[in-house]
């Protein structure tokens, strides 16, 4: 039997190619995803190993509210004094210890811009730090010199000795590049600028505090011994609030953190790999149905000469295994190619990834196994049908009875209804687990619709087909009949597009809504003439000072953000869930921003009281006049709630005056998000803009925006995210085309006699091609319409549910949805090309005489 | 006519002028399958005229070329040499487009099985040739035909809801609806029981006698052949005998005389299955 099976593949190689292609595509994405993961983790692990080479680390003991501005990983803890480094240098076994001083920086490249938006760090170059080496030139010395990491130097196009500018600690500084410095591993595109220790300390540790101190051991002292020696010293100095841990433990923490961050991205990519495999499985199953159908007589012969059903079944499974293995092997190669392309692409934009080969044994085994299991699983159903067909039955004109759709439709209907109910509940009671409801509801709705799809094909496709039935007689009616004839198959074929279009439909509605919402918020609440914002998210303090000196400016209101552990009446402090606090000058209300108060008054902010958002007040049970407390360096500070407000202009739940803000938020945790500028009397917008642009341009990363620009900028950011989704849509379209081609080819073969009959009674070749094209277009449009309806339905719920995060307005981008529909028609036509020409070329007599 | 006569076919002389009574004719028709050593001559130079307003049956043992003759006459198969005329037009000179038009406007077909498009109702199947040609349906004609084949109550059923006899009657109605010059029927009763066969053949004969339709029918069944005005006998790709107003006895007599070896044709054309061992 094995010989029969293998000969079968050789004889029908062309027919197997589609299946192999389908497996390859799915596997390529799985293999590519895993390889990318390997490559990225090895790159980031390389960074961890090369930049965290200490034998022990000293860090704070208590977690604090905060987020990292320097890209360091792990939870944020209290900072420790830099002086601790000298203090512990004398501990037994310590060779050297130095505070790790780093922070954000903007480096102006040769072309006068800050280049890509990759993370940029400035860090102190300790003279005796062995983890970095000066490759060329010399180490920077003094505030006017910098060293650049090798990849940064290349990306910036600067050369040693060049003069350039950096923005550090909020001010522009002219500096000279004195050295190229290597960290011993690719830095994944991060911009790294080295400063000498005094400059770095002045910029990033002006208060004498740092996050960590790296400790190196004398030869022969183990990491554990080192920590044991350090601990008593740290415990004694209670004020320092510091603890020691081994280098291995520190690196392990960093790795875990990186893995969990990458895990999210990879999970997202794996979903798409899963979709392609799912559709691939369907294509395989279709191909085997086609083969089984064509070879029914051959199987009948084998059965008649004594082959058992099991043997027939096994022979088909052997073929599936070969298809699976071959497809997986090609897929793994394709995945590698994909990742190599990505690496080249990343390198082009200045992101160096590790050179180590990303293919590990685990990836190969998983990919091979997955591809083969999917292929064998998908072939099992047609194989079973072939094996169980009685020999004599196979001889007759076989018309496979369509299995009932009832069970599938009932389950699908229940899931769809439950999903829809979930969405409705989410809309009606958006406060109670609204987002979870939307997630579960959308998932159920999708799954239910996929199950319900054959039912929909049978009962709704007629509506879609009505156009064709009415305009292209009688081809439209014939095509409709063919599409509806096997609803299960049509639905499965359309599923790839359905999923892809649902995702893109939802995303485009969300994008349009987000843009419209922001626009509405800005229009309502923003009354300043201009805003200055930074691409790094943090406006340098120097720019503020410069702006204030302009004669054309009436007022500059600084909007600052920072996290604070906020404790209401009867609550216990928890560093796990800090609240974002926004600080504004008291004068800004009514001048730069308009905020609706529910109760109380914003004047109270001038007297150290705070304003809270309506939503958080309801959530935490806070009332006007309640006192909440914040930790600060000088002890706990209490503040009364002077106003409950309802505004979308600020994302943070708590609004305080700039004075209170400076007391409760550490400078290291402060982000200057916005400068809101109002014009002096008699100054035109154009004049003010010109002045502001002149101030902002030296900082390279600043932009001057009016309300119009602001909305436009947001729209362009949203569109950048959409590009990624469109790339994924491209994938689902390729797979959809493959699936439709496959289904049409199968159906042409199955309908050979019917086609012959119609040709005999006078159907022209073009008419025949027309029927098949209409079938294809109907299938594609069906998948798209259902997908878009689903996507839009889910997305339409979001503004109600996510009202609290600023999504207030529902906007449906009709033009874009119409484009998707046009795309579906194009996909349908493309997919029909080959099967239609194949059918048209069938000789009439062959078709009539076909058995 | 009450007398049965056996005559030598007069059309075996090549290049005979085509009589005006002929709706379809062939001269020197040769069809060879394959090339070189494996070449098989299915038709070895046939001259034939099918008369207007007659039901002509073609008989012969398996492999005698009767189906090939019909396929060549209908433009369904290519011809190696010779000429084929349908209603005064040379089929061999036609390209694909013209052949399609010929089948659409001038010819009707009834096959042994699988005559109907399963997704269309009986009525839609009947009007299919007209729909394809985008010609209007002559309602009176349609109703007359439907009444003749007694399908009035089954018009809105799908083929899967019709009996075998009903399906073949739909096929007949479809062949007739476009008023073709000639109808080609390939074993039209091959899959039917004797009662349904009799009904169908009676109807075909009436369409010839009452409507003046011309029908060419391939069959292996002597009883079926008795419905024809004339029976042509093929053997080894040649026309060998002709019967006017055949009876079952006269047909059997000719068949018997054609070949000493008994005909295996009775098992019908799906003998291709035989080697499998049933």
């Amino acid at each position: 039997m094995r010989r029969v099976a293998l000969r079968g593949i050789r004889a029908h190689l062309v027919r197997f190619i589609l299946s192999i292609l389908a497996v390859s595509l799915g596997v390529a994405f799985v293999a590519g995803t895993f390889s990318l993961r390997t490559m990225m983790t090895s790159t980031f692990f390389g960074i961890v190993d090369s930049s965290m080479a200490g034998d022990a680390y000293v860090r704070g003991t208590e977690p604090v509210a905060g987020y990292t501005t320097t890209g360091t990983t792990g939870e944020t803890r209290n900072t420790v004094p830099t002086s601790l480094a000298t203090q512990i240098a004398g501990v037994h076994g310590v060779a050297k210890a130095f505070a790790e001083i780093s922070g954000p920086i903007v480096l102006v490249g040769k072309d006068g811009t800050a280049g890509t938006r990759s993370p940029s760090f400035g860090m102190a170059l300790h003279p005796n730090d062995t983890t970095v080496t000066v490759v060329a030139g010399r180490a920077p010395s003094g505030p006017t010199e910098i060293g650049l990491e090798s990849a940064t130097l290349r990306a910036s196009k600067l050369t040693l000795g060049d003069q350039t500018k950096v923005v550090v600690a909020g001010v522009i500084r002219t500096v000279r590049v004195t050295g190229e410095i290597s960290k011993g591993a690719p830095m994944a595109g991060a911009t790294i600028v080295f400063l000498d220790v005094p400059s770095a300390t002045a910029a990033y540790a002006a208060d004498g505090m740092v996050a960590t101190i790296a400790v190196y051991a004398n030869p022969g002292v183990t990491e554990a011994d080192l920590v044991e020696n350090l601990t008593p010293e740290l415990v004694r100095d209670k004020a320092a609030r510091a603890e020691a841990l081994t280098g291995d433990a520190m690196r392990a923490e960093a790795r875990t953190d990186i893995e969990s961050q990458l895990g999210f991205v990879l999970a997202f990519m794996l979903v798409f790999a899963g979709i392609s495999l799912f559709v691939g499985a369907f294509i395989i199953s279709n191909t085997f149905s086609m083969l089984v159908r064509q070879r029914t007589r051959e199987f009948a012969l084998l059965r008649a000469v004594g082959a058992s059903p099991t043997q027939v079944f096994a022979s088909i499974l052997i073929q599936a295994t070969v298809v699976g293995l071959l497809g997986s092997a090609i897929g793994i190669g394709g995945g590698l190619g994909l990742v190599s392309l990505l690496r080249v692409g990343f390198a082009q934009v200045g992101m160096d990834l590790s050179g180590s080969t990303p293919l590990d044994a685990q990836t190969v085994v998983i990919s091979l196994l997955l591809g083969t299991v999917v292929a064998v699983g998908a072939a099992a159903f047609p194989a079973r049908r072939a094996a169980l067909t009685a020999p004599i039955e196979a001889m007759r004109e076989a018309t496979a009875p369509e299995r009932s759709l009832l069970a599938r439709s009932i389950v699908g209907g229940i899931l769809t209804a439950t999903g829809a109910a979930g969405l409705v509940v989410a809309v009606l009671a958006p406060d109670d687990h609204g987002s979870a409801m939307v997630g579960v509801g959308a998932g159920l709705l999708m799954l239910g619709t996929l199950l319900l799809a054959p039912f929909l094909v049978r009962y709704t496709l007629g509506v879609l087909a009505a156009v064709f039935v009415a305009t292209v007689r009688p081809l439209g009616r014939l095509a409709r009949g063919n599409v509806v004839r096997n609803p299960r198959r049509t639905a499965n074929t359309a599923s790839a597009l359905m999923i892809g279009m649902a995702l893109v439909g939802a995303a485009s509605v969300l994008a349009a809504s987000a843009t419209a919402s922001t626009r509405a918020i800005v229009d309502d609440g923003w009354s300043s003439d201009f805003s200055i914002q930074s691409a790094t998210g943090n406006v340098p303090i120097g720019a503020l000072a410069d702006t204030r000196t302009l004669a054309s400016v009436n007022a500059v209101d600084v909007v600052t953000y920072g996290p604070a552990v906020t404790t209401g009446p009867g609550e216990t402090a928890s560093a796990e869930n800090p609240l974002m606090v926004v600080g504004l000058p008291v004068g800004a209300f009514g001048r730069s921003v308009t905020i609706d108060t529910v109760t109380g008054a914003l004047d109270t902010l001038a007297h150290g009281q705070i304003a809270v958002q309506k939503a958080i007040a309801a959530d935490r049970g806070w009332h006007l006049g309640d006192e909440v407390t914040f930790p600060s360096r000088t002890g706990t500070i209490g503040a009364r709630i002077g106003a409950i407000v309802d505004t979308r202009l600020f994302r943070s739940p708590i609004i305080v005056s700039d004075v209170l803000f400076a007391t409760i938020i550490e400078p290291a945790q402060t982000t200057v998000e916005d400068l809101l500028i109002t014009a002096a009397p008699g100054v035109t917008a154009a004049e003010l803009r010109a002045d502001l642009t002149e101030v902002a341009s030296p900082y390279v990363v600043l932009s001057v925006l009016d309300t119009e620009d602001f909305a436009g900028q947001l729209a362009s950011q949203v569109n950048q995210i959409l590009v990624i989704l469109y790339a994924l849509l491209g994938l689902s379209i390729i797979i959809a085309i493959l699936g439709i081609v496959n289904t049409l080819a199968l159906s042409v073969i199955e309908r050979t006699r019917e086609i012959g009959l119609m040709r005999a009674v006078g159907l022209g070749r073009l008419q025949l091609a027309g029927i098949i094209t209409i079938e294809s277009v109907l299938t594609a449009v069906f998948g798209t319409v259902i997908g878009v309806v689903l996507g839009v339905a889910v997305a339409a719920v979001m503004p109600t549910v996510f009202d609290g995060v600023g999504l207030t307005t529902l906007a449906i981008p009709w033009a874009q949805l119409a484009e998707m529909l046009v795309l579906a028609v194009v996909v349908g036509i493309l997919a029909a090309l080959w099967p239609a020409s194949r059918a048209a070329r069938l000789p009439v007599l062959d078709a009539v005489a076909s058995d | 006519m009450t007398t049965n006569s056996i005559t030598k076919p007069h059309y075996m002389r090549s290049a005979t002028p085509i009589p005006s009574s002929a709706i379809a004719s062939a001269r020197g028709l040769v069809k060879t399958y394959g090339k070189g050593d494996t070449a098989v001559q299915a038709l070895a130079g046939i001259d034939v005229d099918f008369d207007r307003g007659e039901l002509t049956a073609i008989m012969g043992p398996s492999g005698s070329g009767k189906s090939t003759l019909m396929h060549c006459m209908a433009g369904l198969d290519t011809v190696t040499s010779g000429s084929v005329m349908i209603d005064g037009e040379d089929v061999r000179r036609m390209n694909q487009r013209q052949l399609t038009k010929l089948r659409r406007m001038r010819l009707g077909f009834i096959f042994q099985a699988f005559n109907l498009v399963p997704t269309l109702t009986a009525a839609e199947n009947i009007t299919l040739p007209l729909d394809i040609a985008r010609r209007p349906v002559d309602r009176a004609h349609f109703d007359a035909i439907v009444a003749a084949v007694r399908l009035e109550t089954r018009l809105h059923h799908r083929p899967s809801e019709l009996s075998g006899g009903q399906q073949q009657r739909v096929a007949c109605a479809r062949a007739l609806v476009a008023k073709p010059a000639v109808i080609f029927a390939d074993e039209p009763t091959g899959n039917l029981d004797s009662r349904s066969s009799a009904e169908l053949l009676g109807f075909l004969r009436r369409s010839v006698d009452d409507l003046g339709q011309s029908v060419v029918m391939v069959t292996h069944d002597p009883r079926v052949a008795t419905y024809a005005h004339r029976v042509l006998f093929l053997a080894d790709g040649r026309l060998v005998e002709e019967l006017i107003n055949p009876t079952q006895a006269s047909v059997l007599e000719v068949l018997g005389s054609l070949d000493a070896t008994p005909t295996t044709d009775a098992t019908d054309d799906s003998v291709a299955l035989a080697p499998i061992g049933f």
Side-chain angles (χ1 to χ4, degrees), chain A residues 560-603:
Chain A
T560 48
Y561 279 91
V565 177
T566 313
T567 316
E571 295 170 356
T572 45
S574 154
E576 306 279 304
N577 295 307
L579 293 180
M580 274 307 231
V581 175
V582 61
L584 284 158
V586 180
F589 302 108
R591 177 170 62 199
S592 300
V593 294
T594 311
I595 290 175
D596 295 334
T597 41
V598 179
T599 53
L602 287 167
D603 308 346

Side-chain angles (χ1 to χ4, degrees), chain B residues 7 13 24 59 61 72-73 83 152 169 174 182 184 222 225 231 256 264 267:
Chain B
T7 56
R13 300 175 304 268
M59 295 198 77
C72 288
M73 294 298 301
S83 71
E152 299 96 324
R169 294 201 319 258
R174 184 196 60 215
V182 55
F184 289 102
V231 188
T264 55
T267 53

Side-chain angles (χ1 to χ4, degrees), chain A residues 101-472:
Chain A
I101 305 165
S102 67
I105 198 164
V106 175
L107 173 71
V108 179
K110 188 87 179 169
D111 60 355
T113 71
T116 58
R117 283 191 192 161
S118 57
S120 301
F121 314 123
M123 50 178 65
L125 182 66
H126 292 278
N128 54 354
D129 187 346
T130 45
T131 64
V132 293
T133 44
V134 178
V135 186
R138 57 175 178 78
S141 163
T144 58
E145 291 184 2
I146 58 166
L148 293 178
E149 193 266 334
S150 302
T152 305
L153 184 68
R154 247 179 301 142
S156 67
K157 305 257 174 20
L158 292 165
T159 48
L160 296 189
D162 277 358
Q163 196 150 5
T164 185
K165 287 191 173 113
V166 291
V167 181
V168 62
V171 293
I172 305 173
R173 197 184 289 169
T174 305
V175 291
R176 185 177 300 281
V177 183
T178 61
E180 175 186 347
I181 292 152
S182 166
K183 291 201 66 149
M187 286 293 129
T191 298
I192 298 172
V193 179
F194 291 94
L195 308 169
D196 74 345
V197 177
S199 312
T201 309
Y204 305 127
D207 56 355
M209 307 295 280
V210 288
T212 49
I213 293 169
V215 186
Y216 293 83
N218 281 321
V221 179
T222 66
E223 292 194 349
D225 289 345
L226 191 62
V227 169
E228 213 163 287
N229 296 346
L230 286 169
T231 306
E233 178 74 27
L234 299 174
V235 169
R236 201 165 39 243
D237 188 356
K238 284 212 167 56
R241 296 189 295 165
E243 65 175 15
L245 75 168
T246 62
D248 283 343
M250 191 76 176
R251 286 184 287 272
E253 268 185 27
R255 285 201 195 102
T256 315
D257 214 61
I258 286 168
E259 280 195 317
S260 73
Q261 282 178 20
L262 287 180
F264 176 75
V265 176
L266 292 166
F268 187 69
M269 287 169 63
L270 275 180
V271 165
F272 277 86
I275 292 173
S276 50
L277 265 185
F278 165 78
V279 184
F282 166 70
I283 294 178
I284 293 163
S285 149
N286 227 351
T287 308
F288 277 94
S289 300
M290 185 160 19
L291 277 156
V292 164
R293 182 121 194 150
Q294 286 182 311
R295 294 170 55 209
T296 310
R297 293 227 165 144
E298 187 188 327
F299 292 135
L301 171 65
L302 289 172
R303 291 286 307 282
V305 298
S308 70
T310 319
Q311 283 175 312
V312 170
F313 187 70
S315 86
I316 297 173
L317 289 199
I318 289 171
Q319 295 182 335
T321 311
V322 173
V323 166
L325 287 175
L326 217 60
S328 307
I330 297 172
I332 292 169
L336 256 183
L338 223 73
V339 170
S340 305
L341 267 177
L342 268 180
R343 176 149 68 190
V344 173
F346 279 138
Q348 289 286 321
V349 298
M351 182 166 172
D352 281 3
L353 289 177
S354 163
S356 55
T357 164
L359 197 66
D360 52 14
Q362 192 194 350
T363 305
V364 174
V365 170
I366 288 180
S367 305
L368 273 181
L369 218 61
L370 203 63
T372 313
V373 165
V374 165
V376 171
F381 293 98
R384 184 172 169 275
R385 212 180 314 136
L388 293 183
T389 306
I392 196 66
E393 199 178 314
M395 303 290 165
R396 290 202 214 100
E397 183 67 37
T399 44
E402 173 73 8
R403 282 169 298 150
S404 167
L405 290 174
L406 191 67
R408 179 172 168 165
S409 301
I410 289 175
V411 175
I414 291 171
L415 288 184
T416 309
T418 316
L423 291 184
V424 170
V425 169
V427 171
L428 295 181
D431 294 332
D432 304 337
H433 318 294
S435 54
M437 275 289 194
V438 170
V440 174
L444 286 178
L445 201 60
M446 193 77 219
L447 204 66
T449 313
L450 282 175
L451 287 174
L452 205 56
F455 177 85
L456 293 174
V457 167
R458 181 167 286 169
Y459 297 101
T460 66
L461 206 74
V463 183
L464 287 178
V467 186
F468 293 108
V469 173
T471 53
V472 209

